[in-house]
Each structure stands twice: as C-alpha cells, then as structure tokens.
Amino acid sequence: MAYEHIRVDREGHVTIFTLNRPDVMNALHSPAHFEMHEALDAFAADPEQWVGILTGAGERAFSAGNDLKHQATGGEMRSPPSGFAGLTSRFDLTKPLIAAVNGVAMGGGFEIALACDIIVASETAVFALPEPRVGLAALAGGLHRLPRAIGVKRAMGMILTGRRVSAAEGAELGFVNEVVPPAELMTAARRWAAQIAELSPMSVRASKEAVFKGLDEPTLEAAIKGQNRYPAVAALFTSEDFVEGPLAFSQKRAPNWKGR
C-alpha cells in the first residue's frame, strides 16, 4: 500500500517504518496517525513479518511529536484508537519494535520511542517531554511509560522540568539500549532486529507479552501463576516452533522457525 506521510519497507522478516515528514521534523498530524495505524495493523497480521524498526526521515529528527502548527491552524486532530502514531495505545502487539532514533525525539516523538521495546539512538539524538512548555501534557503514554522505564524520581526530573536529555544520558538513565554514531544507526537497528529474528517468533511474542502483562499484575506470584493464560504464551505451547526448537537442538542443527 502507498502512503503519503510514512514509508514502509520489508527486508526479509523485518518491517521498517519511516515517519516521512522531514519538512516538519517528522511531527505527526491526523492523516499520519491513521497511516501508521493501518501500517501497524498490516504488520501485526502478516505472519512473515516478525520484527519492526521505526525511524524518522532525514537527519534532524526522529519525530518532533504533535504537529502544533497543523493544530494551531485548525487542522483535524483525530487519532485512531491505537493512539499517537497508531502505536502509543496499541497494547496487543506482541511482535517486537525497535526505535531507531536519529535526532530529536520530543513530546509525542519520545512517547513513540518509549512505546517501542528497544531504543537505539544516534549520538545526536535528544529526548524530552516538553508539553508543559506549550500548555499540554504527555498524555500519549509518556507520563506512564517513562516512570516504569527509569523509576519515578528520575522520570519526574524530566517530566516536571521538560528538560532535554542526550542519547548518552538516556543510556545512563536506562531508557536507551545503545548509542551509536549517526552513520551507524540503521546498521545497529538492523543488527538488533537480526538477533531477534534468529529466535523463535512465538517465543519472542510470548516473552514480550509475559513481561508487559506481568508488570500489570498486583504481585510477582500473580504474574507467575497467571502467565499461562496470556494469549501469546498459550499459543507458544501449541505451536510448531515449540516442537521444532528442542528437535533442532537434539539434532544439532539450526532451527527452522515457522512463527506459528
């Protein structure tokens, strides 16, 4: 499918989503949200696509967040039920997503990155939740995901000041997995994706689901006792991969994962 505001490329089992509005630092408006919603729906439904990478077009920005100029001039600001960029309120996606942050990740842009499972950042990347500077609040998940990622005190230090954080500090705080030179960003993101794609897709999805659903359980005991009822975990136990993994190990060969 052809899109106007995003680009979608498939490389084997990996889908690369590019926010493609570099003239406005990849800030997003309603049409872009709905395009991402459709693209992520297609990714979730495609049995051949196992890992996603999300990045921004150009060198300046991953995403500057909400397109405030579009909003200020009366542009439509609807968003799909899946939230900002079709992602921030998408809670049923068990396929892993990697954010390749190539520059500014401000406001909604940072919230998009936080909604991904792994963040690989260029040395030039900058992160912030500056919404209070323009009379808004980071209600697309940033106020909830950031404390869960780095702890309440560290998160409040960013949220209540709106200050900018470098890629290096992001790694120190714990929300960035790897920092690389700008020219190596997509190579690094593809390396992470390839490492994930070497594993059973069913196992990866079950693991992701167990982590996030388990964090919502009231106790560790409840998380452990309840994990077998999670859909992706239950699907793992009845999958071809569940048989193939031990069989390949016993035969001393590489597994032939089916993702089903």
Side-chain angles (χ1 to χ4, degrees), residues 33-34 36-38 40-41 79-92 115 140 145:
H33 294 318
F34 279 92
M36 277 298 298
H37 172 81
E38 291 179 11
L40 285 165
D41 275 356
S79 60
S82 52
F84 199 89
L87 177 60
T88 58
S89 293
R90 185 182 292 267
F91 300 109
D92 59 353
R145 286 191 170 100

PDB file of all heavy atoms in Angstrom, residues 33-34 36-38 40-41 79-92 115 140 145:
ATOM      1  N   HIS A  33      -1.160   9.733  11.685  1.00  0.00           N
ATOM      2  CA  HIS A  33      -1.554   8.770  12.723  1.00  0.00           C
ATOM      3  C   HIS A  33      -2.325   7.602  12.105  1.00  0.00           C
ATOM      4  O   HIS A  33      -2.075   6.438  12.437  1.00  0.00           O
ATOM      5  CB  HIS A  33      -2.445   9.442  13.776  1.00  0.00           C
ATOM      6  CG  HIS A  33      -1.764  10.485  14.598  1.00  0.00           C
ATOM      7  ND1 HIS A  33      -0.491  10.336  15.103  1.00  0.00           N
ATOM      8  CD2 HIS A  33      -2.189  11.712  15.009  1.00  0.00           C
ATOM      9  CE1 HIS A  33      -0.166  11.421  15.793  1.00  0.00           C
ATOM     10  NE2 HIS A  33      -1.175  12.264  15.746  1.00  0.00           N
ATOM     11  N   PHE A  34      -3.258   7.922  11.227  1.00  0.00           N
ATOM     12  CA  PHE A  34      -4.084   6.870  10.643  1.00  0.00           C
ATOM     13  C   PHE A  34      -3.292   5.997   9.669  1.00  0.00           C
ATOM     14  O   PHE A  34      -3.544   4.795   9.562  1.00  0.00           O
ATOM     15  CB  PHE A  34      -5.326   7.469   9.983  1.00  0.00           C
ATOM     16  CG  PHE A  34      -6.415   7.781  10.966  1.00  0.00           C
ATOM     17  CD1 PHE A  34      -6.502   9.032  11.551  1.00  0.00           C
ATOM     18  CD2 PHE A  34      -7.341   6.816  11.333  1.00  0.00           C
ATOM     19  CE1 PHE A  34      -7.492   9.325  12.485  1.00  0.00           C
ATOM     20  CE2 PHE A  34      -8.338   7.089  12.267  1.00  0.00           C
ATOM     21  CZ  PHE A  34      -8.419   8.347  12.843  1.00  0.00           C
ATOM     22  N   MET A  36      -0.094   5.262  10.047  1.00  0.00           N
ATOM     23  CA  MET A  36       0.672   4.364  10.917  1.00  0.00           C
ATOM     24  C   MET A  36      -0.226   3.288  11.515  1.00  0.00           C
ATOM     25  O   MET A  36       0.198   2.130  11.672  1.00  0.00           O
ATOM     26  CB  MET A  36       1.373   5.154  12.027  1.00  0.00           C
ATOM     27  CG  MET A  36       2.696   5.789  11.605  1.00  0.00           C
ATOM     28  SD  MET A  36       3.947   4.577  11.102  1.00  0.00           S
ATOM     29  CE  MET A  36       4.175   3.641  12.618  1.00  0.00           C
ATOM     30  N   HIS A  37      -1.438   3.653  11.857  1.00  0.00           N
ATOM     31  CA  HIS A  37      -2.398   2.673  12.370  1.00  0.00           C
ATOM     32  C   HIS A  37      -2.600   1.544  11.356  1.00  0.00           C
ATOM     33  O   HIS A  37      -2.530   0.358  11.709  1.00  0.00           O
ATOM     34  CB  HIS A  37      -3.725   3.372  12.668  1.00  0.00           C
ATOM     35  CG  HIS A  37      -4.846   2.447  13.021  1.00  0.00           C
ATOM     36  ND1 HIS A  37      -5.009   1.912  14.284  1.00  0.00           N
ATOM     37  CD2 HIS A  37      -5.857   1.937  12.270  1.00  0.00           C
ATOM     38  CE1 HIS A  37      -6.072   1.123  14.292  1.00  0.00           C
ATOM     39  NE2 HIS A  37      -6.601   1.119  13.085  1.00  0.00           N
ATOM     40  N   GLU A  38      -2.817   1.895  10.103  1.00  0.00           N
ATOM     41  CA  GLU A  38      -3.028   0.893   9.064  1.00  0.00           C
ATOM     42  C   GLU A  38      -1.773   0.056   8.845  1.00  0.00           C
ATOM     43  O   GLU A  38      -1.850  -1.173   8.687  1.00  0.00           O
ATOM     44  CB  GLU A  38      -3.439   1.576   7.762  1.00  0.00           C
ATOM     45  CG  GLU A  38      -4.818   2.206   7.804  1.00  0.00           C
ATOM     46  CD  GLU A  38      -5.183   2.891   6.494  1.00  0.00           C
ATOM     47  OE1 GLU A  38      -4.455   2.687   5.498  1.00  0.00           O
ATOM     48  OE2 GLU A  38      -6.188   3.625   6.466  1.00  0.00           O
ATOM     49  N   LEU A  40       0.725  -0.572  10.948  1.00  0.00           N
ATOM     50  CA  LEU A  40       0.984  -1.457  12.086  1.00  0.00           C
ATOM     51  C   LEU A  40      -0.040  -2.587  12.158  1.00  0.00           C
ATOM     52  O   LEU A  40       0.297  -3.702  12.573  1.00  0.00           O
ATOM     53  CB  LEU A  40       1.015  -0.654  13.384  1.00  0.00           C
ATOM     54  CG  LEU A  40       2.287   0.173  13.579  1.00  0.00           C
ATOM     55  CD1 LEU A  40       2.101   1.204  14.689  1.00  0.00           C
ATOM     56  CD2 LEU A  40       3.490  -0.716  13.891  1.00  0.00           C
ATOM     57  N   ASP A  41      -1.274  -2.312  11.753  1.00  0.00           N
ATOM     58  CA  ASP A  41      -2.263  -3.388  11.655  1.00  0.00           C
ATOM     59  C   ASP A  41      -1.784  -4.456  10.668  1.00  0.00           C
ATOM     60  O   ASP A  41      -1.884  -5.661  10.931  1.00  0.00           O
ATOM     61  CB  ASP A  41      -3.616  -2.840  11.184  1.00  0.00           C
ATOM     62  CG  ASP A  41      -4.474  -2.298  12.323  1.00  0.00           C
ATOM     63  OD1 ASP A  41      -4.058  -2.403  13.493  1.00  0.00           O
ATOM     64  OD2 ASP A  41      -5.562  -1.763  12.025  1.00  0.00           O
ATOM     65  N   SER A  79      -7.261  11.014  16.195  1.00  0.00           N
ATOM     66  CA  SER A  79      -6.275   9.936  16.198  1.00  0.00           C
ATOM     67  C   SER A  79      -7.012   8.604  16.293  1.00  0.00           C
ATOM     68  O   SER A  79      -8.135   8.548  16.813  1.00  0.00           O
ATOM     69  CB  SER A  79      -5.284  10.083  17.357  1.00  0.00           C
ATOM     70  OG  SER A  79      -5.959  10.046  18.592  1.00  0.00           O
ATOM     71  N   PRO A  80      -6.404   7.542  15.804  1.00  0.00           N
ATOM     72  CA  PRO A  80      -7.058   6.228  15.848  1.00  0.00           C
ATOM     73  C   PRO A  80      -7.085   5.682  17.270  1.00  0.00           C
ATOM     74  O   PRO A  80      -6.383   6.192  18.154  1.00  0.00           O
ATOM     75  CB  PRO A  80      -6.173   5.373  14.937  1.00  0.00           C
ATOM     76  CG  PRO A  80      -4.833   6.025  14.993  1.00  0.00           C
ATOM     77  CD  PRO A  80      -5.087   7.487  15.151  1.00  0.00           C
ATOM     78  N   PRO A  81      -7.867   4.614  17.527  1.00  0.00           N
ATOM     79  CA  PRO A  81      -7.906   4.033  18.868  1.00  0.00           C
ATOM     80  C   PRO A  81      -6.556   3.518  19.324  1.00  0.00           C
ATOM     81  O   PRO A  81      -6.317   3.391  20.522  1.00  0.00           O
ATOM     82  CB  PRO A  81      -8.905   2.878  18.748  1.00  0.00           C
ATOM     83  CG  PRO A  81      -9.444   2.900  17.371  1.00  0.00           C
ATOM     84  CD  PRO A  81      -8.776   3.970  16.589  1.00  0.00           C
ATOM     85  N   SER A  82      -5.659   3.265  18.375  1.00  0.00           N
ATOM     86  CA  SER A  82      -4.315   2.785  18.715  1.00  0.00           C
ATOM     87  C   SER A  82      -3.391   3.903  19.159  1.00  0.00           C
ATOM     88  O   SER A  82      -2.237   3.659  19.507  1.00  0.00           O
ATOM     89  CB  SER A  82      -3.699   2.045  17.515  1.00  0.00           C
ATOM     90  OG  SER A  82      -3.782   2.853  16.354  1.00  0.00           O
ATOM     91  N   GLY A  83      -3.882   5.141  19.158  1.00  0.00           N
ATOM     92  CA  GLY A  83      -3.132   6.236  19.753  1.00  0.00           C
ATOM     93  C   GLY A  83      -2.195   6.966  18.810  1.00  0.00           C
ATOM     94  O   GLY A  83      -2.262   6.844  17.584  1.00  0.00           O
ATOM     95  N   PHE A  84      -1.297   7.741  19.410  1.00  0.00           N
ATOM     96  CA  PHE A  84      -0.334   8.562  18.678  1.00  0.00           C
ATOM     97  C   PHE A  84       0.540   7.653  17.809  1.00  0.00           C
ATOM     98  O   PHE A  84       1.079   6.652  18.287  1.00  0.00           O
ATOM     99  CB  PHE A  84       0.526   9.345  19.681  1.00  0.00           C
ATOM    100  CG  PHE A  84       1.225  10.539  19.093  1.00  0.00           C
ATOM    101  CD1 PHE A  84       0.594  11.780  19.066  1.00  0.00           C
ATOM    102  CD2 PHE A  84       2.498  10.430  18.569  1.00  0.00           C
ATOM    103  CE1 PHE A  84       1.230  12.887  18.531  1.00  0.00           C
ATOM    104  CE2 PHE A  84       3.141  11.533  18.040  1.00  0.00           C
ATOM    105  CZ  PHE A  84       2.509  12.768  18.009  1.00  0.00           C
ATOM    106  N   ALA A  85       0.633   7.988  16.532  1.00  0.00           N
ATOM    107  CA  ALA A  85       1.376   7.180  15.554  1.00  0.00           C
ATOM    108  C   ALA A  85       0.827   5.766  15.420  1.00  0.00           C
ATOM    109  O   ALA A  85       1.527   4.854  14.986  1.00  0.00           O
ATOM    110  CB  ALA A  85       2.862   7.136  15.886  1.00  0.00           C
ATOM    111  N   GLY A  86      -0.436   5.585  15.800  1.00  0.00           N
ATOM    112  CA  GLY A  86      -1.027   4.252  15.721  1.00  0.00           C
ATOM    113  C   GLY A  86      -0.368   3.251  16.635  1.00  0.00           C
ATOM    114  O   GLY A  86      -0.551   2.039  16.469  1.00  0.00           O
ATOM    115  N   LEU A  87       0.345   3.761  17.661  1.00  0.00           N
ATOM    116  CA  LEU A  87       1.168   2.872  18.487  1.00  0.00           C
ATOM    117  C   LEU A  87       0.984   3.045  19.978  1.00  0.00           C
ATOM    118  O   LEU A  87       0.955   2.050  20.722  1.00  0.00           O
ATOM    119  CB  LEU A  87       2.649   3.081  18.135  1.00  0.00           C
ATOM    120  CG  LEU A  87       3.673   2.284  18.941  1.00  0.00           C
ATOM    121  CD1 LEU A  87       3.447   0.778  18.784  1.00  0.00           C
ATOM    122  CD2 LEU A  87       5.092   2.656  18.527  1.00  0.00           C
ATOM    123  N   THR A  88       0.871   4.275  20.473  1.00  0.00           N
ATOM    124  CA  THR A  88       1.005   4.501  21.915  1.00  0.00           C
ATOM    125  C   THR A  88      -0.130   3.896  22.744  1.00  0.00           C
ATOM    126  O   THR A  88       0.024   3.716  23.953  1.00  0.00           O
ATOM    127  CB  THR A  88       1.130   5.998  22.236  1.00  0.00           C
ATOM    128  OG1 THR A  88      -0.029   6.693  21.739  1.00  0.00           O
ATOM    129  CG2 THR A  88       2.383   6.596  21.595  1.00  0.00           C
ATOM    130  N   SER A  89      -1.266   3.587  22.111  1.00  0.00           N
ATOM    131  CA  SER A  89      -2.350   2.890  22.820  1.00  0.00           C
ATOM    132  C   SER A  89      -2.610   1.513  22.216  1.00  0.00           C
ATOM    133  O   SER A  89      -3.694   0.955  22.376  1.00  0.00           O
ATOM    134  CB  SER A  89      -3.635   3.726  22.785  1.00  0.00           C
ATOM    135  OG  SER A  89      -3.486   4.909  23.543  1.00  0.00           O
ATOM    136  N   ARG A  90      -1.623   0.977  21.543  1.00  0.00           N
ATOM    137  CA  ARG A  90      -1.728  -0.355  20.945  1.00  0.00           C
ATOM    138  C   ARG A  90      -1.107  -1.344  21.939  1.00  0.00           C
ATOM    139  O   ARG A  90       0.095  -1.543  21.981  1.00  0.00           O
ATOM    140  CB  ARG A  90      -0.981  -0.388  19.602  1.00  0.00           C
ATOM    141  CG  ARG A  90      -1.111  -1.690  18.834  1.00  0.00           C
ATOM    142  CD  ARG A  90      -0.304  -1.639  17.535  1.00  0.00           C
ATOM    143  NE  ARG A  90      -0.867  -0.713  16.582  1.00  0.00           N
ATOM    144  CZ  ARG A  90      -1.739  -1.024  15.629  1.00  0.00           C
ATOM    145  NH1 ARG A  90      -2.152  -2.276  15.513  1.00  0.00           N
ATOM    146  NH2 ARG A  90      -2.194  -0.110  14.803  1.00  0.00           N
ATOM    147  N   PHE A  91      -1.961  -1.998  22.714  1.00  0.00           N
ATOM    148  CA  PHE A  91      -1.474  -2.840  23.802  1.00  0.00           C
ATOM    149  C   PHE A  91      -1.479  -4.332  23.483  1.00  0.00           C
ATOM    150  O   PHE A  91      -1.108  -5.138  24.326  1.00  0.00           O
ATOM    151  CB  PHE A  91      -2.290  -2.579  25.068  1.00  0.00           C
ATOM    152  CG  PHE A  91      -2.211  -1.153  25.527  1.00  0.00           C
ATOM    153  CD1 PHE A  91      -3.309  -0.307  25.417  1.00  0.00           C
ATOM    154  CD2 PHE A  91      -1.027  -0.638  26.043  1.00  0.00           C
ATOM    155  CE1 PHE A  91      -3.244   1.016  25.834  1.00  0.00           C
ATOM    156  CE2 PHE A  91      -0.944   0.681  26.460  1.00  0.00           C
ATOM    157  CZ  PHE A  91      -2.049   1.513  26.351  1.00  0.00           C
ATOM    158  N   ASP A  92      -1.894  -4.688  22.259  1.00  0.00           N
ATOM    159  CA  ASP A  92      -1.975  -6.108  21.919  1.00  0.00           C
ATOM    160  C   ASP A  92      -0.919  -6.535  20.894  1.00  0.00           C
ATOM    161  O   ASP A  92      -0.995  -7.641  20.364  1.00  0.00           O
ATOM    162  CB  ASP A  92      -3.371  -6.456  21.400  1.00  0.00           C
ATOM    163  CG  ASP A  92      -3.756  -5.645  20.163  1.00  0.00           C
ATOM    164  OD1 ASP A  92      -2.995  -4.733  19.784  1.00  0.00           O
ATOM    165  OD2 ASP A  92      -4.820  -5.933  19.577  1.00  0.00           O
ATOM    166  N   ALA A 115       7.155   3.638  23.457  1.00  0.00           N
ATOM    167  CA  ALA A 115       6.200   2.572  23.173  1.00  0.00           C
ATOM    168  C   ALA A 115       6.846   1.408  22.425  1.00  0.00           C
ATOM    169  O   ALA A 115       6.225   0.353  22.277  1.00  0.00           O
ATOM    170  CB  ALA A 115       5.018   3.112  22.371  1.00  0.00           C
ATOM    171  N   ALA A 140       0.034  10.764  25.930  1.00  0.00           N
ATOM    172  CA  ALA A 140       0.040   9.635  24.989  1.00  0.00           C
ATOM    173  C   ALA A 140       0.972   8.528  25.488  1.00  0.00           C
ATOM    174  O   ALA A 140       1.572   7.811  24.696  1.00  0.00           O
ATOM    175  CB  ALA A 140       0.449  10.089  23.593  1.00  0.00           C
ATOM    176  N   ARG A 145       4.866   5.548  30.819  1.00  0.00           N
ATOM    177  CA  ARG A 145       5.939   4.642  30.391  1.00  0.00           C
ATOM    178  C   ARG A 145       7.300   5.066  30.938  1.00  0.00           C
ATOM    179  O   ARG A 145       8.117   4.225  31.298  1.00  0.00           O
ATOM    180  CB  ARG A 145       5.990   4.557  28.868  1.00  0.00           C
ATOM    181  CG  ARG A 145       4.840   3.742  28.265  1.00  0.00           C
ATOM    182  CD  ARG A 145       5.060   3.463  26.787  1.00  0.00           C
ATOM    183  NE  ARG A 145       4.084   2.494  26.309  1.00  0.00           N
ATOM    184  CZ  ARG A 145       2.972   2.808  25.632  1.00  0.00           C
ATOM    185  NH1 ARG A 145       2.712   4.080  25.358  1.00  0.00           N
ATOM    186  NH2 ARG A 145       2.129   1.860  25.241  1.00  0.00           N
TER     187      ARG A 145
END
